[in-house]
Amino acid sequence: MITAEHEKLLTSLAGQRVMIVGDVMLDHYTFGAVSRISPEAPVPVVEVISEEYVLGGAGNVARNINALGGHATMLAVIGDDRDGETLAQILDDNSVNSVLVHDDRRRTTRKTRIIAQNQQIVRVDRETSEPLSESVVGGLLENIATHAQDHDIVIVSDYGKGVITRPVMDALRAITGANGRRPRILVDPKPQNYDLYHGVDILTPNAKEAGEGANLPCAWPAGPARVGQALFDRLGCRDLLITLGPQGMALFEGRAKATHIPTFARKVFDVTGAGDTVIATLALAMAAGASLLDAAVLANHAAGIVVAQVGAATPTLEALRQAVEARPAPPVAPLPGME
Ligand SMILES: Nc1ncnc2c1ncn2[C@@H]1O[C@H](COP(=O)(O)OP(=O)(O)OP(=O)(O)O)[C@@H](O)[C@H]1O
Ligand SMILES: [Mg+2]
């Protein structure tokens, strides 16, 4: 049985608009078979059977939002190269409204995984991690001014490839949105950039990133409460959601109230992309007017679905509905160590 309240929240996700600013990547999978060792060097020879291109990084957040029935607008930087064209095409294929700033001095980030016999043999990265040029930053700022004001929720998906800088964060904090107030800013942080996120609405680090930001261990059960307090001290953020892998999540609604939401995952195959699913679902539910606790519980359900699938999977609205129906009342409890 699904409660009327849950039904209402799930139905209201459809059509919600979320803007994402961050580092998009092209995930390239090459699947093959190995039958011999190379005569040139002691390495396997992979005969390619198939290839696939998938949205990665901030692009995977956009893919998750659209899979749940939302409308994602993606603001990102690509190079003037074929990978950039491919990326623009698959954003389109996923119905993501993309606003792409071209940089002819950068290459589009691409991560190639070569997989044979269900095993990753090697990963090959192509990327530019130098700071963006002034004109590209200018292009980002212009687009933030144009598009962020039409949105109530903005996700900053920082994979540390150069899009998220102080001017970009300052611009986001200075926008007045459609309803006369600043869009709420949700950040999936990169530890090296913590100082850029001051005063945002909510951060969603995993335990490792949270621990690095706080300079404290985040080990369960006593770690998250202490780490959370230190992050509030450092960042002055409004709320905080630390994802704890197999332990689920710790939600801080302000610094004084913290809740533990245990994982809903029943089987775990591949945790890749679970963090993207969490921030996407959280944002969509917040855009639909859910309370922060309801939004986090829904995000935890969505993460439980993707970890049971192989690769960076995305839950559909129907799969999320079934997950909530199977387990509507989560055993949430005060976070240990908060007394
Ligand atoms: N091993 C696991 N068992 C059960 N649930 C898990 C597991 N790993 C992840 N989850 C679920 O996924 C959510 C996010 O996972 P995690 O804390 O690993 O984020 P992450 O490290 O940012 O993920 P990624 O970077 O791979 O996208 C958790 O809050 C939990 O609901
Ligand atoms: Mg993550």
Side-chain angles (χ1 to χ4, degrees), residues 176-307:
T176 304
N179 56 9
R181 49 162 209 224
R182 181 184 95 176
R184 279 169 290 172
I185 306 172
L186 286 66
V187 179
D188 194 356
K190 186 82 189 169
Q192 76 215 37
N193 285 343
Y194 265 110
D195 290 328
L196 303 180
Y197 313 133
H198 206 270
V200 301
D201 292 274
I202 183 164
L203 262 89
T204 65
N206 63 21
K208 181 167 177 284
E209 292 154 352
E212 283 172 28
N215 222 345
L216 287 168
C218 196
W220 183 258
R226 274 201 300 267
V227 163
Q229 299 309 309
L231 285 178
F232 277 102
D233 289 343
R234 179 167 179 193
L235 297 172
C237 50
R238 183 204 294 261
D239 304 304
L240 175 66
L241 181 69
I242 306 179
T243 62
L244 303 170
Q247 302 295 344
M249 31 178 77
L251 173 68
F252 296 77
E253 294 169 88
R255 63 182 304 148
K257 183 179 176 217
T259 309
H260 175 225
I261 309 169
T263 180
F264 294 149
R266 277 136 183 219
K267 14 175 214 190
V268 177
F269 280 123
D270 188 346
V271 300
T272 311
D276 295 336
T277 299
V278 167
I279 198 164
T281 312
L282 187 76
L284 210 51
M286 285 170 67
S291 72
L292 195 50
L293 180 60
D294 285 347
V297 167
L298 203 62
N300 204 31
H301 272 296
I305 299 170
V306 301
V307 298

Side-chain angles (χ1 to χ4, degrees), residues 6 33 96 164 242 253:
H6 280 130
V96 176
I164 303 307
I242 306 179
E253 294 169 88

